[in-house]
Amino acid sequence: MIVFDLLCDQGHRFEGWFGSSADYERQQGAGYVACPQCGSVAVGKAVMAPAIGRKGNQPAVDASKGAPAVSEPATSSAPGKAVAMARPALTPEALQMMHALATMQKKALESSRWVGGRFAEDARAMHYGEREHETIHGQATPEEATALVEEGIAVMPLPFPVVPPGQAN
Ligand SMILES: [Zn+2]
C-alpha cells in the first residue's frame, strides 16, 4: 500500500490509499479518485512540504552546540503554507473546467449503455436501422472512429477515460 497526499480543485486536502503508484494513476485518470469533502474528481497529488534545509548563507553549525540551525518558525501550523498541485500547469479555471467536463460526462453516461469493444459494430447497426437506437459508449480504435464519422455516424470522443464496468478495482 502507498499513501498519497491529494488535493482537489477546491483546495481540500486528503489522503488516498493505493496499491501502487500506477494504481493511483489509473484510478485518478478514470475519475475514481474523488474528494471526500466535495466529490470533485479533479484531484492531484499535493506536493509534500519541502524539507526545510539550511540556507547557504547561514553559518555552519557549531558542532559543540549540538542542535542544527533549522529555521522552522514556531508557528509551523500557520495558514499560508505553500501547497502546490502536482501539475502546476493547470490553472484553477482549467481545473474547474475539467471538473465540469467530468461531471457532464458522468451525467451523460448515466443513460448510456457500455458496449465495450463492440462500439463500432453497434453504432453502425443502429445507424443502418438493424437495431434500436440508444445511447451507447464503448471503445473504438481511431481507425474505427474515423470510419464511423466518414459514414455519417454521430460519434463523440469522451473527454475522460472510462473504466469498463467489471474492471474496477
Ligand atoms: Zn474537495
Side-chain angles (χ1 to χ4, degrees), residues 8-12 14 35-40:
C8 85
D9 60 340
Q10 305 296 313
H12 303 130
F14 58 100
C35 168
Q37 285 188 62
C38 69
S40 168

